[in-house]
Amino acid sequence: MPPANVHVVQSGAGMARAQSRARMAGIERRHLLIQFEGPVTAVDLADLRAADAQPLRYVPENAVAISAGPGFDAAALPRARWVGALEASDRLSGESAADLARRFPAFPLTVIEFHPDLGAAAVRERIALAGTAAVGPTALPGYMAVIPTDRAAIDRLAADPSVAWIYPATSGLVGAGTLLCEGLLSPQGLVANYAVVGEGWDGGGAGA
């Protein structure tokens, strides 16, 4: 469980600086994770929307992936305890990490899943900036793409804050129209694919 960084004495100035940097850089939306004191409730989701944050994915049991505007302040949420962003290593599945560590990857194709508020045009732009291009056609949602398994491009995409999850693709995803489950549906919304890795933020044995 990460140490709390919301509603502590030191957080106010740091949060204000982050908001100021976002405004100066012209950043319209940031992709963040926010953890609450206890399971996520309908009130927490409503509070997020009122604070200019769009809930994107549920991260059991106490967190949500959000798209936040430059003025978003986690301290405005009564039950928030931690807010931060995914690291590059968090975005890469164990299967893809193992595959890229091989001299010759076993999977020739890789799925890049962006946060679901990105449209297909933005996805194509981000992939081009990484030095590669999507292969297809596929039946994937617009915020996902299949690319050739190229270590340099995948490293760049893993460092892209708009990317949520990277994992190996099967050849059936391309051309055959194979559909993909977008995630487990819960009362709090779709569960993030990366939420199933490890013991969870609530600690070992907590069942999260």
Side-chain angles (χ1 to χ4, degrees), residues 109-111 134-142 144-147 169-180:
L109 301 173
T110 296
V111 175
V135 299
T138 72
L140 296 176
M144 296 184 188
V146 176
I147 66 167
T170 63
S171 58
L173 282 177
V174 178
T178 302
L179 296 176
L180 182 75

Side-chain angles (χ1 to χ4, degrees), residues 13-81:
M15 192 71 68
R17 284 194 297 270
Q19 293 168 4
S20 178
R21 286 195 298 269
R23 292 191 188 98
M24 290 176 64
I27 297 173
E28 294 183 3
R29 310 296 295 180
R30 293 172 292 158
H31 293 102
L32 303 170
L33 295 178
I34 184 162
Q35 185 189 43
F36 292 93
E37 295 283 1
V40 178
T41 68
V43 173
D44 294 327
L45 297 176
D47 287 344
L48 281 168
R49 294 185 180 98
D52 189 26
Q54 177 188 353
L56 299 175
R57 286 289 190 265
Y58 172 50
V59 183
E61 296 177 351
N62 299 351
V64 182
I66 63 171
S67 171
F72 171 73
D73 185 357
L77 306 172
R79 292 193 340 117
R81 72 169 301 276

Side-chain angles (χ1 to χ4, degrees), residues 5 15 42 55 57 60 97 118 129 131 134 136 150 157-158 182 202:
N5 63 4
M15 192 71 68
R57 286 289 190 265
L118 264 71
L129 287 172
D150 174 83
L157 287 163
E182 292 189 53
D202 299 325

Side-chain angles (χ1 to χ4, degrees), residues 76-145:
L77 306 172
R79 292 193 340 117
R81 72 169 301 276
W82 182 89
V83 63
L86 288 172
E87 301 290 339
S89 58
D90 297 327
R91 300 184 181 103
L92 192 64
S93 70
E95 293 86 353
S96 279
D99 199 37
L100 292 175
R102 299 186 180 101
R103 185 174 180 182
F104 298 104
F107 295 93
L109 301 173
T110 296
V111 175
I112 310 296
E113 179 180 334
F114 290 79
H115 288 287
D117 59 326
L118 264 71
V123 165
R124 288 192 297 271
E125 178 183 353
R126 304 308 300 173
I127 288 174
L129 287 172
T132 188
V135 299
T138 72
L140 296 176
Y143 61 88
M144 296 184 188

